[in-house]
Amino acid sequence: MNLQRDNSQPDPQFDEQVTNILKTWQNGEFPFREAVAQLLLHKQQATADEQLANQARAEHILGNLQYYRGNPDTSAQHWTRARDLYQRAGNIDFATSMEMNLGEYYRLKGDLTLALSKYRISQKSAKKFNNIRNLCIGTVNEGHVLVSLEQYDDALKAFNIGLELSTQL
């Protein structure tokens, strides 16, 4: 029996801890500053332990926290670091999710060209690793951008592909 942990994935206990910090803040049981401070402590510990996937997960959750708080620029910085760390750890699935988050950030900022690029990068990766969920989300997100660019025929194609993919979930 091989009990060795997959280092591309965040440690389950670490993941539970950082996820609970976010949930506790969302439930109003933790002040924002305390949630950030606790997540930064977890990130520092993961860095000291040289655990790339845990570092990435802390950055990921910090990005989500900042996004929900209404700080999209700060969230994008965390998601970029998370993406890079997930890639270094070999967790392409989570790196793809961060690419989609960045696509959404750029879409909301009005940089539709960059958003479209991020969504297409995420779709390519999702296809490569047969991640239907991420492929579906990336394709539908691409459709939203194409509508904004008034490319309605291409948007409809993207939405139809997304609909087809959703039946496979």
Side-chain angles (χ1 to χ4, degrees):
M1 178 195 294
N2 184 359
L3 296 178
Q4 189 173 7
R5 190 175 82 71
D6 176 2
N7 287 326
S8 71
Q9 298 292 326
D11 176 73
Q13 183 178 0
F14 183 90
D15 184 43
E16 182 180 349
Q17 290 170 350
V18 295
T19 301
N20 282 338
I21 292 168
L22 178 64
K23 287 179 182 178
T24 302
W25 172 76
Q26 287 175 314
N27 292 334
E29 301 167 23
F30 223 23
F32 177 76
R33 286 186 180 154
E34 182 63 23
V36 170
Q38 290 295 316
L39 288 168
L40 288 173
L41 284 174
H42 279 77
K43 182 180 106 172
Q44 289 170 352
Q45 186 60 54
T47 301
D49 294 342
E50 298 181 355
Q51 294 293 319
L52 293 175
N54 286 354
Q55 291 175 56
R57 186 64 175 156
E59 290 285 1
H60 181 166
I61 297 296
L62 279 160
N64 291 355
L65 178 73
Q66 292 289 350
Y67 187 80
Y68 298 146
R69 177 66 180 220
N71 301 321
D73 294 337
T74 304
S75 68
Q77 293 169 2
H78 287 293
W79 289 334
T80 299
R81 285 192 292 267
R83 180 202 56 205
D84 296 345
L85 287 162
Y86 281 134
Q87 287 174 339
R88 288 178 49 208
N91 190 324
I92 303 307
D93 195 35
F94 274 24
T96 299
S97 293
M98 295 301 94
E99 202 71 42
M100 281 193 291
N101 284 0
L102 290 166
E104 186 66 6
Y105 165 76
Y106 288 113
R107 184 177 75 84
L108 294 175
K109 294 287 280 187
D111 190 339
L112 301 180
T113 303
L114 191 51
L116 195 57
S117 171
K118 296 292 181 188
Y119 292 142
R120 288 181 174 161
I121 290 168
S122 70
Q123 289 172 60
K124 184 178 178 181
S125 178
K127 273 185 195 174
K128 182 177 179 180
F129 292 95
N130 199 33
N131 185 322
I132 302 300
R133 181 182 180 276
N134 280 347
L135 182 57
C136 179
I137 292 168
T139 302
V140 170
N141 287 346
E142 177 183 347
H144 289 289
V145 171
L146 292 169
V147 167
S148 296
L149 292 171
E150 298 181 1
Q151 296 178 18
Y152 302 117
D153 290 340
D154 290 337
L156 181 59
K157 287 177 191 172
F159 289 135
N160 283 332
I161 292 169
L163 180 61
E164 174 62 31
L165 289 166
S166 73
T167 66
Q168 300 173 40
L169 297 176

mmCIF file with all atom_site columns, all heavy atoms in Angstrom, residues 3-19:
data_model
loop_
_atom_site.group_PDB
_atom_site.id
_atom_site.type_symbol
_atom_site.label_atom_id
_atom_site.label_alt_id
_atom_site.label_comp_id
_atom_site.label_asym_id
_atom_site.label_entity_id
_atom_site.label_seq_id
_atom_site.pdbx_PDB_ins_code
_atom_site.Cartn_x
_atom_site.Cartn_y
_atom_site.Cartn_z
_atom_site.occupancy
_atom_site.B_iso_or_equiv
_atom_site.pdbx_formal_charge
_atom_site.auth_seq_id
_atom_site.auth_comp_id
_atom_site.auth_asym_id
_atom_site.auth_atom_id
_atom_site.pdbx_PDB_model_num
ATOM 1   N N   . LEU A 1 3  ? 1.227   5.021  0.738  1.00 0.00 ? 3  LEU A N   1
ATOM 2   C CA  . LEU A 1 3  ? 0.576   6.093  1.507  1.00 0.00 ? 3  LEU A CA  1
ATOM 3   C C   . LEU A 1 3  ? 1.188   7.458  1.213  1.00 0.00 ? 3  LEU A C   1
ATOM 4   O O   . LEU A 1 3  ? 0.889   8.429  1.892  1.00 0.00 ? 3  LEU A O   1
ATOM 5   C CB  . LEU A 1 3  ? 0.665   5.801  3.000  1.00 0.00 ? 3  LEU A CB  1
ATOM 6   C CG  . LEU A 1 3  ? -0.062  4.545  3.471  1.00 0.00 ? 3  LEU A CG  1
ATOM 7   C CD1 . LEU A 1 3  ? 0.160   4.344  4.962  1.00 0.00 ? 3  LEU A CD1 1
ATOM 8   C CD2 . LEU A 1 3  ? -1.545  4.619  3.156  1.00 0.00 ? 3  LEU A CD2 1
ATOM 9   N N   . GLN A 1 4  ? 2.035   7.531  0.193  1.00 0.00 ? 4  GLN A N   1
ATOM 10  C CA  . GLN A 1 4  ? 2.664   8.798  -0.156 1.00 0.00 ? 4  GLN A CA  1
ATOM 11  C C   . GLN A 1 4  ? 1.625   9.774  -0.693 1.00 0.00 ? 4  GLN A C   1
ATOM 12  O O   . GLN A 1 4  ? 0.770   9.419  -1.489 1.00 0.00 ? 4  GLN A O   1
ATOM 13  C CB  . GLN A 1 4  ? 3.749   8.573  -1.200 1.00 0.00 ? 4  GLN A CB  1
ATOM 14  C CG  . GLN A 1 4  ? 4.576   9.799  -1.449 1.00 0.00 ? 4  GLN A CG  1
ATOM 15  C CD  . GLN A 1 4  ? 5.749   9.487  -2.373 1.00 0.00 ? 4  GLN A CD  1
ATOM 16  O OE1 . GLN A 1 4  ? 5.855   8.402  -2.911 1.00 0.00 ? 4  GLN A OE1 1
ATOM 17  N NE2 . GLN A 1 4  ? 6.622   10.457 -2.529 1.00 0.00 ? 4  GLN A NE2 1
ATOM 18  N N   . ARG A 1 5  ? 1.710   11.004 -0.232 1.00 0.00 ? 5  ARG A N   1
ATOM 19  C CA  . ARG A 1 5  ? 0.764   12.049 -0.617 1.00 0.00 ? 5  ARG A CA  1
ATOM 20  C C   . ARG A 1 5  ? 1.122   12.614 -1.985 1.00 0.00 ? 5  ARG A C   1
ATOM 21  O O   . ARG A 1 5  ? 2.285   12.748 -2.338 1.00 0.00 ? 5  ARG A O   1
ATOM 22  C CB  . ARG A 1 5  ? 0.804   13.161 0.443  1.00 0.00 ? 5  ARG A CB  1
ATOM 23  C CG  . ARG A 1 5  ? -0.294  14.178 0.303  1.00 0.00 ? 5  ARG A CG  1
ATOM 24  C CD  . ARG A 1 5  ? -0.296  15.180 1.441  1.00 0.00 ? 5  ARG A CD  1
ATOM 25  N NE  . ARG A 1 5  ? 0.637   16.257 1.290  1.00 0.00 ? 5  ARG A NE  1
ATOM 26  C CZ  . ARG A 1 5  ? 0.516   17.246 0.406  1.00 0.00 ? 5  ARG A CZ  1
ATOM 27  N NH1 . ARG A 1 5  ? -0.482  17.277 -0.405 1.00 0.00 ? 5  ARG A NH1 1
ATOM 28  N NH2 . ARG A 1 5  ? 1.411   18.211 0.345  1.00 0.00 ? 5  ARG A NH2 1
ATOM 29  N N   . ASP A 1 6  ? 0.094   12.957 -2.760 1.00 0.00 ? 6  ASP A N   1
ATOM 30  C CA  . ASP A 1 6  ? 0.257   13.609 -4.055 1.00 0.00 ? 6  ASP A CA  1
ATOM 31  C C   . ASP A 1 6  ? 0.600   15.073 -3.796 1.00 0.00 ? 6  ASP A C   1
ATOM 32  O O   . ASP A 1 6  ? -0.251  15.848 -3.367 1.00 0.00 ? 6  ASP A O   1
ATOM 33  C CB  . ASP A 1 6  ? -1.037  13.478 -4.852 1.00 0.00 ? 6  ASP A CB  1
ATOM 34  C CG  . ASP A 1 6  ? -1.009  14.199 -6.180 1.00 0.00 ? 6  ASP A CG  1
ATOM 35  O OD1 . ASP A 1 6  ? 0.039   14.792 -6.530 1.00 0.00 ? 6  ASP A OD1 1
ATOM 36  O OD2 . ASP A 1 6  ? -2.037  14.181 -6.876 1.00 0.00 ? 6  ASP A OD2 1
ATOM 37  N N   . ASN A 1 7  ? 1.843   15.475 -4.065 1.00 0.00 ? 7  ASN A N   1
ATOM 38  C CA  . ASN A 1 7  ? 2.297   16.833 -3.762 1.00 0.00 ? 7  ASN A CA  1
ATOM 39  C C   . ASN A 1 7  ? 1.733   17.885 -4.700 1.00 0.00 ? 7  ASN A C   1
ATOM 40  O O   . ASN A 1 7  ? 1.951   19.067 -4.485 1.00 0.00 ? 7  ASN A O   1
ATOM 41  C CB  . ASN A 1 7  ? 3.820   16.893 -3.745 1.00 0.00 ? 7  ASN A CB  1
ATOM 42  C CG  . ASN A 1 7  ? 4.389   16.223 -2.518 1.00 0.00 ? 7  ASN A CG  1
ATOM 43  O OD1 . ASN A 1 7  ? 3.804   16.266 -1.448 1.00 0.00 ? 7  ASN A OD1 1
ATOM 44  N ND2 . ASN A 1 7  ? 5.521   15.566 -2.680 1.00 0.00 ? 7  ASN A ND2 1
ATOM 45  N N   . SER A 1 8  ? 1.006   17.459 -5.755 1.00 0.00 ? 8  SER A N   1
ATOM 46  C CA  . SER A 1 8  ? 0.378   18.448 -6.630 1.00 0.00 ? 8  SER A CA  1
ATOM 47  C C   . SER A 1 8  ? -0.926  18.961 -6.021 1.00 0.00 ? 8  SER A C   1
ATOM 48  O O   . SER A 1 8  ? -1.453  19.977 -6.457 1.00 0.00 ? 8  SER A O   1
ATOM 49  C CB  . SER A 1 8  ? 0.108   17.858 -8.018 1.00 0.00 ? 8  SER A CB  1
ATOM 50  O OG  . SER A 1 8  ? -0.939  16.919 -7.965 1.00 0.00 ? 8  SER A OG  1
ATOM 51  N N   . GLN A 1 9  ? -1.415  18.241 -5.019 1.00 0.00 ? 9  GLN A N   1
ATOM 52  C CA  . GLN A 1 9  ? -2.674  18.602 -4.361 1.00 0.00 ? 9  GLN A CA  1
ATOM 53  C C   . GLN A 1 9  ? -2.396  19.230 -3.001 1.00 0.00 ? 9  GLN A C   1
ATOM 54  O O   . GLN A 1 9  ? -1.467  18.814 -2.305 1.00 0.00 ? 9  GLN A O   1
ATOM 55  C CB  . GLN A 1 9  ? -3.541  17.355 -4.133 1.00 0.00 ? 9  GLN A CB  1
ATOM 56  C CG  . GLN A 1 9  ? -3.963  16.641 -5.393 1.00 0.00 ? 9  GLN A CG  1
ATOM 57  C CD  . GLN A 1 9  ? -4.931  17.474 -6.213 1.00 0.00 ? 9  GLN A CD  1
ATOM 58  O OE1 . GLN A 1 9  ? -5.739  18.209 -5.670 1.00 0.00 ? 9  GLN A OE1 1
ATOM 59  N NE2 . GLN A 1 9  ? -4.821  17.362 -7.520 1.00 0.00 ? 9  GLN A NE2 1
ATOM 60  N N   . PRO A 1 10 ? -3.228  20.211 -2.608 1.00 0.00 ? 10 PRO A N   1
ATOM 61  C CA  . PRO A 1 10 ? -3.081  20.730 -1.239 1.00 0.00 ? 10 PRO A CA  1
ATOM 62  C C   . PRO A 1 10 ? -3.322  19.606 -0.233 1.00 0.00 ? 10 PRO A C   1
ATOM 63  O O   . PRO A 1 10 ? -4.123  18.695 -0.476 1.00 0.00 ? 10 PRO A O   1
ATOM 64  C CB  . PRO A 1 10 ? -4.186  21.787 -1.125 1.00 0.00 ? 10 PRO A CB  1
ATOM 65  C CG  . PRO A 1 10 ? -4.525  22.141 -2.539 1.00 0.00 ? 10 PRO A CG  1
ATOM 66  C CD  . PRO A 1 10 ? -4.274  20.903 -3.349 1.00 0.00 ? 10 PRO A CD  1
ATOM 67  N N   . ASP A 1 11 ? -2.607  19.661 0.870  1.00 0.00 ? 11 ASP A N   1
ATOM 68  C CA  . ASP A 1 11 ? -2.818  18.715 1.951  1.00 0.00 ? 11 ASP A CA  1
ATOM 69  C C   . ASP A 1 11 ? -4.271  18.827 2.423  1.00 0.00 ? 11 ASP A C   1
ATOM 70  O O   . ASP A 1 11 ? -4.758  19.949 2.638  1.00 0.00 ? 11 ASP A O   1
ATOM 71  C CB  . ASP A 1 11 ? -1.862  19.045 3.099  1.00 0.00 ? 11 ASP A CB  1
ATOM 72  C CG  . ASP A 1 11 ? -2.074  18.169 4.294  1.00 0.00 ? 11 ASP A CG  1
ATOM 73  O OD1 . ASP A 1 11 ? -1.692  16.995 4.215  1.00 0.00 ? 11 ASP A OD1 1
ATOM 74  O OD2 . ASP A 1 11 ? -2.635  18.675 5.290  1.00 0.00 ? 11 ASP A OD2 1
ATOM 75  N N   . PRO A 1 12 ? -4.992  17.722 2.575  1.00 0.00 ? 12 PRO A N   1
ATOM 76  C CA  . PRO A 1 12 ? -6.417  17.802 2.950  1.00 0.00 ? 12 PRO A CA  1
ATOM 77  C C   . PRO A 1 12 ? -6.677  18.603 4.232  1.00 0.00 ? 12 PRO A C   1
ATOM 78  O O   . PRO A 1 12 ? -7.633  19.370 4.301  1.00 0.00 ? 12 PRO A O   1
ATOM 79  C CB  . PRO A 1 12 ? -6.828  16.339 3.114  1.00 0.00 ? 12 PRO A CB  1
ATOM 80  C CG  . PRO A 1 12 ? -5.881  15.583 2.247  1.00 0.00 ? 12 PRO A CG  1
ATOM 81  C CD  . PRO A 1 12 ? -4.576  16.336 2.317  1.00 0.00 ? 12 PRO A CD  1
ATOM 82  N N   . GLN A 1 13 ? -5.828  18.432 5.233  1.00 0.00 ? 13 GLN A N   1
ATOM 83  C CA  . GLN A 1 13 ? -6.020  19.178 6.482  1.00 0.00 ? 13 GLN A CA  1
ATOM 84  C C   . GLN A 1 13 ? -5.788  20.673 6.253  1.00 0.00 ? 13 GLN A C   1
ATOM 85  O O   . GLN A 1 13 ? -6.554  21.510 6.740  1.00 0.00 ? 13 GLN A O   1
ATOM 86  C CB  . GLN A 1 13 ? -5.076  18.655 7.562  1.00 0.00 ? 13 GLN A CB  1
ATOM 87  C CG  . GLN A 1 13 ? -5.279  19.334 8.902  1.00 0.00 ? 13 GLN A CG  1
ATOM 88  C CD  . GLN A 1 13 ? -4.346  18.763 9.970  1.00 0.00 ? 13 GLN A CD  1
ATOM 89  O OE1 . GLN A 1 13 ? -3.558  17.863 9.728  1.00 0.00 ? 13 GLN A OE1 1
ATOM 90  N NE2 . GLN A 1 13 ? -4.443  19.324 11.170 1.00 0.00 ? 13 GLN A NE2 1
ATOM 91  N N   . PHE A 1 14 ? -4.758  21.011 5.509  1.00 0.00 ? 14 PHE A N   1
ATOM 92  C CA  . PHE A 1 14 ? -4.469  22.409 5.184  1.00 0.00 ? 14 PHE A CA  1
ATOM 93  C C   . PHE A 1 14 ? -5.646  23.006 4.400  1.00 0.00 ? 14 PHE A C   1
ATOM 94  O O   . PHE A 1 14 ? -6.111  24.112 4.699  1.00 0.00 ? 14 PHE A O   1
ATOM 95  C CB  . PHE A 1 14 ? -3.178  22.505 4.366  1.00 0.00 ? 14 PHE A CB  1
ATOM 96  C CG  . PHE A 1 14 ? -2.759  23.910 4.054  1.00 0.00 ? 14 PHE A CG  1
ATOM 97  C CD1 . PHE A 1 14 ? -1.919  24.606 4.904  1.00 0.00 ? 14 PHE A CD1 1
ATOM 98  C CD2 . PHE A 1 14 ? -3.204  24.545 2.897  1.00 0.00 ? 14 PHE A CD2 1
ATOM 99  C CE1 . PHE A 1 14 ? -1.527  25.904 4.621  1.00 0.00 ? 14 PHE A CE1 1
ATOM 100 C CE2 . PHE A 1 14 ? -2.813  25.849 2.602  1.00 0.00 ? 14 PHE A CE2 1
ATOM 101 C CZ  . PHE A 1 14 ? -1.975  26.528 3.468  1.00 0.00 ? 14 PHE A CZ  1
ATOM 102 N N   . ASP A 1 15 ? -6.106  22.271 3.400  1.00 0.00 ? 15 ASP A N   1
ATOM 103 C CA  . ASP A 1 15 ? -7.225  22.732 2.576  1.00 0.00 ? 15 ASP A CA  1
ATOM 104 C C   . ASP A 1 15 ? -8.460  22.992 3.438  1.00 0.00 ? 15 ASP A C   1
ATOM 105 O O   . ASP A 1 15 ? -9.129  24.012 3.286  1.00 0.00 ? 15 ASP A O   1
ATOM 106 C CB  . ASP A 1 15 ? -7.538  21.703 1.491  1.00 0.00 ? 15 ASP A CB  1
ATOM 107 C CG  . ASP A 1 15 ? -8.616  22.169 0.541  1.00 0.00 ? 15 ASP A CG  1
ATOM 108 O OD1 . ASP A 1 15 ? -8.594  23.341 0.129  1.00 0.00 ? 15 ASP A OD1 1
ATOM 109 O OD2 . ASP A 1 15 ? -9.496  21.348 0.205  1.00 0.00 ? 15 ASP A OD2 1
ATOM 110 N N   . GLU A 1 16 ? -8.744  22.084 4.345  1.00 0.00 ? 16 GLU A N   1
ATOM 111 C CA  . GLU A 1 16 ? -9.898  22.261 5.230  1.00 0.00 ? 16 GLU A CA  1
ATOM 112 C C   . GLU A 1 16 ? -9.737  23.506 6.096  1.00 0.00 ? 16 GLU A C   1
ATOM 113 O O   . GLU A 1 16 ? -10.693 24.272 6.280  1.00 0.00 ? 16 GLU A O   1
ATOM 114 C CB  . GLU A 1 16 ? -10.067 21.016 6.105  1.00 0.00 ? 16 GLU A CB  1
ATOM 115 C CG  . GLU A 1 16 ? -11.275 21.093 7.026  1.00 0.00 ? 16 GLU A CG  1
ATOM 116 C CD  . GLU A 1 16 ? -11.436 19.848 7.884  1.00 0.00 ? 16 GLU A CD  1
ATOM 117 O OE1 . GLU A 1 16 ? -10.748 18.837 7.643  1.00 0.00 ? 16 GLU A OE1 1
ATOM 118 O OE2 . GLU A 1 16 ? -12.269 19.905 8.812  1.00 0.00 ? 16 GLU A OE2 1
ATOM 119 N N   . GLN A 1 17 ? -8.545  23.722 6.610  1.00 0.00 ? 17 GLN A N   1
ATOM 120 C CA  . GLN A 1 17 ? -8.305  24.880 7.470  1.00 0.00 ? 17 GLN A CA  1
ATOM 121 C C   . GLN A 1 17 ? -8.517  26.195 6.726  1.00 0.00 ? 17 GLN A C   1
ATOM 122 O O   . GLN A 1 17 ? -9.217  27.080 7.216  1.00 0.00 ? 17 GLN A O   1
ATOM 123 C CB  . GLN A 1 17 ? -6.894  24.818 8.061  1.00 0.00 ? 17 GLN A CB  1
ATOM 124 C CG  . GLN A 1 17 ? -6.704  23.729 9.075  1.00 0.00 ? 17 GLN A CG  1
ATOM 125 C CD  . GLN A 1 17 ? -5.240  23.536 9.458  1.00 0.00 ? 17 GLN A CD  1
ATOM 126 O OE1 . GLN A 1 17 ? -4.329  24.091 8.845  1.00 0.00 ? 17 GLN A OE1 1
ATOM 127 N NE2 . GLN A 1 17 ? -5.011  22.732 10.486 1.00 0.00 ? 17 GLN A NE2 1
ATOM 128 N N   . VAL A 1 18 ? -7.912  26.336 5.546  1.00 0.00 ? 18 VAL A N   1
ATOM 129 C CA  . VAL A 1 18 ? -8.033  27.606 4.824  1.00 0.00 ? 18 VAL A CA  1
ATOM 130 C C   . VAL A 1 18 ? -9.445  27.803 4.276  1.00 0.00 ? 18 VAL A C   1
ATOM 131 O O   . VAL A 1 18 ? -9.951  28.928 4.260  1.00 0.00 ? 18 VAL A O   1
ATOM 132 C CB  . VAL A 1 18 ? -6.966  27.773 3.720  1.00 0.00 ? 18 VAL A CB  1
ATOM 133 C CG1 . VAL A 1 18 ? -5.567  27.853 4.329  1.00 0.00 ? 18 VAL A CG1 1
ATOM 134 C CG2 . VAL A 1 18 ? -7.046  26.698 2.663  1.00 0.00 ? 18 VAL A CG2 1
ATOM 135 N N   . THR A 1 19 ? -10.082 26.724 3.877  1.00 0.00 ? 19 THR A N   1
ATOM 136 C CA  . THR A 1 19 ? -11.466 26.828 3.402  1.00 0.00 ? 19 THR A CA  1
ATOM 137 C C   . THR A 1 19 ? -12.389 27.233 4.543  1.00 0.00 ? 19 THR A C   1
ATOM 138 O O   . THR A 1 19 ? -13.297 28.053 4.352  1.00 0.00 ? 19 THR A O   1
ATOM 139 C CB  . THR A 1 19 ? -11.919 25.498 2.767  1.00 0.00 ? 19 THR A CB  1
ATOM 140 O OG1 . THR A 1 19 ? -11.045 25.182 1.674  1.00 0.00 ? 19 THR A OG1 1
ATOM 141 C CG2 . THR A 1 19 ? -13.348 25.585 2.256  1.00 0.00 ? 19 THR A CG2 1
#
